[in-house]
Amino acid sequence: MLKHEVKVLLSEQEVDKRIQEIGDMITKDFAGETVHLVCVLKGGSFFMCELAKRINLPVSLDFMSVSSYGSDTKSSGVVKIVKDLDEPLQGKNVIVVEDIVDSGRTLSYLMEMLKDRKPKSLTLCTLLDKPDRRVIDVDVKYTGFTIPDVFVVGYGLDYDQLYRNLPYIGEVVFPGEEGK
Ligand code: IMP
Ligand code: MG
């Protein structure tokens, strides 16, 4: 692991406040309905738990885990399902909950795949979005924060599997790269 520091980019209070706002939006948009949250492991887990607590509707949860297919994934965008969902999606208001949309490759592939399972509706909710890095267009309905092209950790996001437990979003800074 390279020598690095973690600087606070979005504080715990800011993140909490924004998750409450997204919860309120979902509660309003899906009034009278049940929503089915699909968490993309592991990164989406912290956000999904906090969000689910702030949705004032009947909520069901499911989890899936995907990984990149070989070393070629960057170009192909094909993802492998490591753990599939337990429940069918047919007829449900599915909200996919992700930590971050970066190139968009993972999500565009995943959303197409989930659409084939005939949900009643399918929307994407991400805590963070890095639009500068987008390679494939993805339709994101709910975004927590739009951030610049920096490497972030915390709230489920990792650097070499560490820092997922930080209660805030931190920027990883490598010495010599500051102010670049
Ligand atoms: P993409 O949108 O297909 O490029 O992939 C997004 C995935 O890359 C996310 O779900 C994260 O797992 C990972 N990722 C992208 N940017 C960051 C970051 O800044 N910190 C940690 N993980 C990231
Ligand atoms: Mg992820």
Side-chain angles (χ1 to χ4, degrees):
M1 213 181 205
L2 295 169
K3 193 168 179 289
H4 64 278
E5 280 167 39
V6 178
K7 278 195 324 198
V8 178
L9 183 69
L10 297 160
S11 71
E12 184 172 4
Q13 289 73 20
E14 285 175 276
V15 177
D16 278 357
K17 181 168 169 281
R18 186 61 187 147
I19 295 176
Q20 180 66 56
E21 287 169 3
I22 296 173
D24 291 343
M25 279 189 254
I26 291 172
T27 301
K28 191 163 150 271
D29 293 350
F30 290 90
E33 304 268 333
T34 296
V35 294
H36 187 65
L37 302 184
V38 166
C39 172
V40 185
L41 294 169
K42 303 170 188 164
S45 57
F46 288 73
F47 177 38
M48 189 225 244
C49 293
E50 293 305 314
L51 181 63
K53 291 193 283 182
R54 293 165 175 90
I55 297 173
N56 194 12
L57 297 171
V59 170
S60 54
L61 309 173
D62 208 344
F63 299 84
M64 73 187 306
S65 181
V66 298
S67 83
S68 306
Y69 243 132
S71 54
D72 196 29
T73 326
K74 283 251 179 277
S75 49
S76 69
V78 175
V79 300
K80 180 173 71 173
I81 298 180
V82 177
K83 183 223 170 293
D84 203 345
L85 298 168
D86 291 335
E87 312 285 335
L89 298 182
Q90 190 160 15
K92 293 178 183 166
N93 292 303
V94 174
I95 303 178
V96 175
V97 182
E98 251 289 26
D99 49 2
I100 190 164
V101 184
D102 189 34
S103 71
R105 286 189 177 102
T106 314
L107 265 302
S108 73
Y109 183 86
L110 200 64
M111 295 302 273
E112 282 306 313
M113 196 188 71
L114 297 179
K115 205 191 281 173
D116 288 343
R117 300 185 187 187
K118 310 271 180 282
K120 181 178 177 186
S121 64
L122 179 65
T123 50
L124 178 57
C125 177
T126 183
L127 180 59
L128 303 173
D129 187 0
K130 280 195 225 175
D132 295 348
R133 300 255 308 168
R134 197 75 88 257
V135 174
I136 301 179
D137 199 31
V138 277
D139 185 15
V140 188
K141 173 105 183 261
Y142 305 101
T143 303
F145 301 92
T146 300
I147 60 165
D149 181 12
V150 293
F151 194 78
V152 288
V153 291
Y155 239 94
L157 289 140
D158 73 300
Y159 174 38
D160 265 0
Q161 297 303 327
L162 295 178
Y163 300 124
R164 291 192 197 274
N165 60 316
L166 294 182
Y168 55 87
I169 301 293
E171 176 185 348
V172 179
V173 186
F174 299 96
E177 293 218 330
E178 277 116 309
K180 242 197 196 171

